[in-house]
Amino acid sequence: MNGPRIIFKIPLFGGIPVTETVVNCWIVMAVIIGVSIWLGSNLKIKPTTKRQLVAEKLVSMLYNLVEGVMGKKFIWFAPYIGALFSMSIFGSLSSLFGLRPYTADLSTTLSWAVLTSVMVWVFSIRESGFFGWLKGFAEPVPFILPINIIGEIANPISMSFRHFGNIAAGMVITNLVYGGLANLSKFVLGFIPNTFLNSIPIFQLGIPALLSIYFDLFGSFLQAYIICMLTMVNISNTSAD
């Protein structure tokens, strides 16, 4: 509720704080790397295990998605999109295991959005040349130059705040509901003579689970899909500019 806690400090330059965001991100990355190594080990030309079938299905789905959105020209971009989706979805779902989702930290989503914008600029310069890229800001008419510049700046900001805002809002709402239902349980059960029931937050059963299904599952998948789609569309559009 009050932002990520500082777990420890690195004794350099007066102390570099390492927050929950960084630590939880390391944990998720370690899990993703471990699962990737497990899925990709001992592969055969002809699949003989369910593990290899699952791995091949996931890879084919990823490459089909990237090719369908970005075209064959950018098919080599699939590993990055896969990594972005994995980091987003597992980072958001980490709340199910008691971790604070690092996607609820603006620094995480903003870094992804800025990276996407930089890649868009790089591919635009490669396609049109540096001066052609600059000229594009004054098209179709020169007087919209300020609007195009503002749009380039607003794009990563909107991408980052959309992802961060949805995950952070879900976390805050869920915590508020948990706290409110706990107080409601104490109020209602307070009229019952001292029994073991007084210590059971009965109103916390059921409703938070429904909220968790929406915010932790549906919301997480949706935001991961959106940020990947925006990334692919923005980069693929550079070839059309």
Side-chain angles (χ1 to χ4, degrees):
M1 294 289 287
N2 297 320
R5 295 181 294 109
I6 296 177
I7 304 300
F8 62 91
K9 290 186 177 181
I10 300 176
L12 294 174
F13 308 108
I16 301 175
V18 177
T19 65
E20 284 180 290
T21 297
V22 177
V23 174
N24 293 347
C25 187
W26 289 343
I27 294 174
V28 171
M29 284 192 296
V31 172
I32 293 176
I33 292 173
V35 172
S36 300
I37 293 175
W38 177 68
L39 288 175
S41 60
N42 299 321
L43 299 181
K44 308 295 182 181
I45 296 178
K46 184 177 181 180
T48 57
T49 62
K50 293 182 179 180
R51 173 175 55 82
Q52 183 170 343
L53 290 173
V54 170
E56 291 185 359
K57 182 62 176 178
L58 291 175
V59 172
S60 63
M61 289 173 60
L62 172 62
Y63 274 80
N64 289 336
L65 174 64
V66 173
E67 183 178 353
V69 177
M70 305 180 73
K72 291 185 178 181
K73 179 178 180 179
F74 293 100
I75 192 65
W76 57 274
F77 229 88
Y80 172 74
I81 299 301
L84 179 61
F85 183 86
S86 299
M87 289 297 296
S88 175
I89 186 63
F90 289 115
S92 299
L93 292 178
S94 63
S95 60
L96 295 175
F97 300 93
L99 300 177
R100 187 182 190 278
Y102 53 78
T103 48
D105 191 332
L106 182 59
S107 62
T108 300
T109 57
L110 182 59
S111 64
W112 294 345
V114 169
L115 179 59
T116 294
S117 295
V118 170
M119 286 189 293
V120 169
W121 298 336
V122 169
F123 282 108
S124 295
I125 293 173
R126 193 177 71 173
E127 289 286 327
S128 306
F130 180 74
F131 292 105
W133 172 64
L134 291 179
K135 181 182 177 182
F137 287 100
E139 295 177 347
V141 287
F143 72 85
I144 68 169
L145 174 65
I147 298 178
N148 286 335
I149 294 176
I150 292 174
E152 287 294 321
I153 298 174
N155 188 45
I157 294 176
S158 64
M159 285 181 63
S160 60
F161 270 90
R162 180 186 294 108
H163 197 319
F164 151 76
N166 279 275
I167 301 303
M171 183 181 66
V172 171
I173 291 174
T174 301
N175 286 333
L176 289 175
V177 170
Y178 264 105
L181 292 176
N183 292 330
L184 180 61
S185 297
K186 290 181 181 179
F187 175 77
V188 173
L189 297 179
F191 295 99
I192 302 177
N194 291 331
T195 63
F196 74 95
L197 291 176
N198 293 35
S199 60
I200 302 177
I202 58 174
F203 289 103
Q204 284 187 333
L205 303 176
I207 297 178
L210 295 176
L211 288 176
S212 179
I213 291 175
Y214 176 78
F215 289 116
D216 291 335
L217 296 179
F218 177 75
S220 298
F221 275 98
L222 180 62
Q223 293 309 312
Y225 179 77
I226 288 175
I227 194 171
C228 288
M229 286 298 296
L230 290 175
T231 298
M232 289 188 289
V233 170
N234 288 335
I235 294 176
S236 61
N237 282 342
T238 59
S239 61
D241 292 340

